[in-house]
Amino acid sequence: MTRFLFLGILTLFWNINSKAQDDFGSLSIKVYESDNEKRLFQQHDDEHFFLLQSLHPNLEEGIKNWNKLVKRLDKKASKKRGEVRFLSDIFYISHQSLLNQYETHANFSNTLAEGIYDCVTGTGLYALLLDRYGIPYYIVETDAHVYLKGNFNGVDFVMESTFPLNGLVIGAKEVADFDQQFFQGPPSVEGFKVPSVLGGMFPSVKHTQVLNRIDVKELAGLQYYNDAILKFNQKAYQEAYAQLVKAAYLYPSPRINHLKEKMETLLEILVFEDLP
C-alpha cells in the first residue's frame, strides 16, 4: 500500500463481467487530488499540523489564523503554565478565535481558514495546542464521535469541541460522568450499511460500545474516512475509494478497512498490493 501512495496512482484490476473468469480490465485511480495534498501527506507524517491540512489544503490562510491563536495563548502560557485554569484559556480562546461554525463533513483546513469545524477537526485543533504546551492527553474514538481526554498536573479533564460553553470538563468524577453518557443502553446489532460520518455534535450522538484511544495521525485517518463517506454519498465511488486508501494508511482500523473492502467489492476491484 505504501508503494501505491508514493506513486500517487493506484493501478487496480476490475473484473469484466463475462463468461471468461480471467477476463480483467485495468483501472487507474488518482490517489491525490493535488500536488499540495501529495506533499503534505507524504512529507509530514510526523508533523501533525501539516498532515491534518493535507485534505483540501488552504495553507496560507490557515497558518495565518493559527499564528494569531498561538500568539494569544503563548502570552497566557507564560503567566499560567502549570495552572489548571490555563486549560480554560486553551478551550475558550480557541472557540472565540477559530471554532466558529459547526458543520458535519468539515476538514481541518477549513477549520483553520474559515472557522468551520466538526468533532474531528475541533479535537485535532485542541490536540495540536496541548502538544504545543506539553499537556498529556489522548483522543477517544466512539462509533460516531471523538473527543479529547487528558491529565494536567494530576487533574483529569475532557475537551468536548462541539460544546462551546460547557465542553471543558474538569475533575475525575465529572470526567467519569461524561464518559458514562456514551455507554448507556445495549449495543445495536446491524448488518452492513453505509456508515455514518464521525463528527456528530455531542450530545446528539448515539450510545456506543466502542471506545478506542487514538493519536493525531489516526485522527487524520478518520478525517479521510469522513471525506470518503461524503464522496460515497455523492456517488463518487472511485474518489471515495482513494480517500479510504489514504485513511487506511494513516489508521488501519477495522471500521476503515471494512468499508475499504466493501468498496472494492462494489467496484469489483482486485487489489494487488505487491505490484512493482
Side-chain angles (χ1 to χ4, degrees), residues 48 52 119-128 130-131 136-142 145-150 159 198 211-220 222 251:
H48 296 148
L52 282 170
C119 72
V120 172
T121 66
T123 298
L125 179 70
Y126 286 127
L128 292 176
L130 294 182
D131 282 337
Y137 71 91
Y138 59 88
I139 298 165
V140 179
E141 174 197 8
T142 77
H145 193 58
V146 294
Y147 60 95
L148 187 148
K149 292 179 68 174
M159 287 187 175
L198 277 91
L211 184 68
N212 296 324
R213 293 189 181 193
I214 64 173
D215 58 25
V216 182
K217 180 178 178 179
E218 292 165 330
L219 187 74
L222 290 178
Y251 182 24

Side-chain angles (χ1 to χ4, degrees), residues 198-212:
L198 277 91
M201 178 176 284
F202 180 81
S204 63
V205 294
K206 297 178 181 179
H207 300 141
T208 179
Q209 298 294 317
V210 176
L211 184 68
N212 296 324

